[in-house]
Amino acid sequence: MTDRIRRFLRDKQPETPCLVIDLDVVEFNYKRMRELLPQAKIFYAMKANPAQEVLSRLGKLGSSFDTASRGEIEQCMAQGVDANRISFGNTIKKERDIAWAFQQGVRLFAFDSEAEMLKLARSAPGARVFCRVLVDCGGAEWPLSRKFGCAPEMARDLLRRAAEMGLEPYGVSFHVGSQQTDLEQWDRALAQVSQMFYALAETGIDLKMVNLGGGFPARYRADVQPLEAYCEAVQRALVRHFGNRMPEVIIEPGRSMVGDAGMIQSEVVLISRKSASDRKRWVYLDVGKFGGLAETMDESIKYRLTTPRDGGRTGPVVLAGPTCDSADILYEKTEYRLPLALKVGDKVEIQATGAYTTTYSAVSFNGFAPLKAYCI
Ligand SMILES: *Cc1c(COP(=O)(O)O)cnc(C)c1O
């Protein structure tokens, strides 16, 4: 938590639960990424946090944007972002949305299947297209595998056909999985991708761009390697596989851009035990899976918690949200400990929750309002 967030919470005493985003941290993260990977063009994956203040701050800094829908494109353009800084990166789009985006001036589109490529050929003629390839996502805490990407051989054929259909086969993308902890994953993916570049070049198709997706970390409970190490690994992999035939490089960071810029303040609603001999206390917060903490699904993302009673003795807890759904348990298998002195009404701070929270919160499940966000 930053001093600015601390001051805001102290002075404003907002109702909980709420997310507070420090825009200066977003700016810092953007500039740091630029410094560490200077040859990469940043397309902020706005699904991580599409607050208009975040989009506008990043837009002013010169960022481009990775979008997934007409709605996201509209939100971006409403902040003054020009269509030529927008990539329509979802591989699953309605053809009428493709046509709309093309009409707005968007010229960069993703696909990973024949049917999607044909939609693009019909409704975005001449546009730059890139094909997403499957990678295994090992080491990622929030994998984005299986659903996206196709086998490299298929990608090669589709890019070749895209050229025949009047599209500009521009490049290849992949995503090594979000909150990736294995720095070698980029090397493996780039080995595959560079093979595709060479194979296509032999048939007269010169791809221009590699899109490395996201995967860069935020700092949750477990330590992660510093961003410097990630960027060095990416840099090394690029040089190893492309040498002096370096293509344009795009990255699409989401989590690493906004994750540690935000913090959710919540309140303890109830502390109980299921039996007199229950070893663990159940701690119910006023925010849970349906209030924005969806990434605790399968206990994947393990947030850092702080309380005003930290420092004293602690005991094991099951941590749950406030709704009447038994799926609304945050951590049960993962060992979480909270102070024994914790009381109903205490504030619990859930750190590094700037990414993938507000947009995951339900509209009004059980009458709980969607997660309120303050950008400061
Ligand atoms: C979600 C997403 C990202 C962002 O990934 P992070 O791991 O949050 O940085 C980037 N690119 C695409 C295509 C995505 O779907």
Side-chain angles (χ1 to χ4, degrees):
M1 178 178 23
T2 65
D3 287 341
R4 295 182 71 223
I5 294 180
R6 193 170 295 119
R7 221 173 312 130
F8 174 85
L9 288 170
R10 194 194 54 214
D11 297 347
K12 297 286 189 301
Q13 306 264 323
E15 276 285 311
T16 68
C18 67
L19 169 68
V20 188
I21 295 270
D22 185 338
L23 293 167
D24 288 352
V25 178
V26 178
E27 175 164 343
F28 175 84
N29 289 341
Y30 176 84
K31 288 180 169 164
R32 179 145 169 258
M33 200 76 206
R34 293 233 46 175
E35 252 172 56
L36 292 174
L37 271 183
Q39 81 275 46
K41 199 164 165 190
I42 298 178
F43 283 68
Y44 170 57
M46 63 177 281
K47 73 174 186 289
N49 190 320
Q52 60 182 46
E53 296 90 338
V54 171
L55 300 180
S56 132
R57 178 70 69 102
L58 287 173
K60 287 195 189 99
L61 290 166
S63 183
S64 295
F65 294 85
D66 171 49
T67 65
S69 65
R70 174 170 173 163
E72 281 193 347
I73 294 172
E74 283 171 341
Q75 288 171 54
C76 250
M77 296 194 11
Q79 296 311 312
V81 174
D82 195 85
N84 66 18
R85 283 202 275 157
I86 293 175
S87 163
F88 204 164
N90 193 347
T91 53
I92 307 153
K93 303 176 283 303
K94 290 182 177 165
E95 189 163 338
R96 58 181 175 278
D97 292 345
I98 295 171
W100 175 85
F102 188 70
Q103 204 180 23
Q104 303 300 307
V106 176
R107 289 293 177 273
L108 186 60
F109 295 84
F111 70 90
D112 66 359
S113 65
E114 181 185 33
E116 192 74 11
M117 187 273 285
L118 294 174
K119 287 185 212 168
L120 292 169
R122 285 189 298 265
S123 294
R128 291 178 163 174
V129 296
F130 58 93
C131 188
R132 180 156 169 185
V133 290
L134 266 171
V135 293
D136 79 9
C137 294
E141 294 186 358
W142 190 258
L144 295 165
S145 50
R146 280 191 16 253
K147 183 169 172 183
F148 308 103
C150 62
E153 307 76 56
M154 180 181 268
R156 236 168 27 219
D157 290 344
L158 290 175
L159 284 162
R160 206 174 288 130
R161 287 205 37 220
E164 289 162 14
M165 312 272 311
L167 292 164
E168 183 181 348
Y170 197 59
V172 177
S173 74
F174 59 85
H175 194 304
V176 294
S178 201
Q179 190 70 10
Q180 178 55 260
T181 56
D182 175 6
L183 276 53
E184 291 310 304
Q185 292 292 325
W186 280 273
D187 185 80
R188 286 213 225 161
L190 282 169
Q192 276 192 2
V193 168
S194 67
Q195 288 307 314
M196 293 178 55
F197 268 62
Y198 297 135
L200 279 167
E202 278 171 19
T203 65
I205 293 179
D206 286 312
L207 297 179
K208 308 240 166 31
M209 178 276 283
V210 180
N211 178 338
L212 306 172
F216 303 98
R219 207 181 125 244
Y220 298 118
R221 207 170 66 154
D223 269 341
V224 285
Q225 300 193 56
L227 192 62
E228 284 79 359
Y230 280 78
C231 293
E232 274 163 28
V234 166
Q235 188 68 43
R236 242 190 344 265
L238 280 168
V239 170
R240 180 176 311 145
H241 299 294
F242 287 97
N244 54 11
R245 297 170 62 185
M246 196 60 76
E248 274 175 46
V249 177
I250 281 178
I251 53 173
E252 299 172 333
R255 190 183 301 280
S256 62
M257 217 41 68
V258 288
D260 64 3
M263 189 205 82
I264 289 176
Q265 184 163 66
S266 72
E267 182 182 310
V268 177
V269 182
L270 179 69
I271 302 175
S272 66
R273 290 182 203 263
K274 298 293 172 192
S275 70
S277 59
D278 197 354
R279 196 178 68 88
K280 287 188 173 183
R281 289 166 298 160
W282 282 68
V283 174
Y284 301 89
L285 302 177
D286 60 0
V287 67
K289 270 208 168 67
F290 303 100
L293 302 178
E295 288 200 317
T296 58
M297 199 188 296
D298 299 327
E299 309 194 12
S300 302
I301 296 294
K302 299 178 181 71
Y303 294 111
R304 269 179 295 134
L305 306 178
T306 51
T307 79
R309 302 190 196 271
D310 287 354
R313 288 202 320 130
T314 63
V317 296
V318 176
L319 206 69
T323 65
C324 300
D325 188 318
S326 57
D328 193 9
I329 295 174
L330 304 177
Y331 304 112
E332 187 173 17
K333 298 186 200 77
T334 311
E335 170 94 349
Y336 263 83
R337 301 179 68 88
L338 286 174
L340 294 173
L342 193 72
K343 297 270 183 307
V344 168
D346 281 352
K347 298 280 195 277
V348 171
E349 287 161 351
I350 309 168
Q351 305 291 336
T353 38
Y356 303 117
T357 49
T358 47
T359 40
Y360 273 143
S361 93
V363 172
S364 179
F365 182 39
N366 271 170
F368 293 107
L371 181 61
K372 174 112 179 98
Y374 301 93
C375 292
I376 59 170

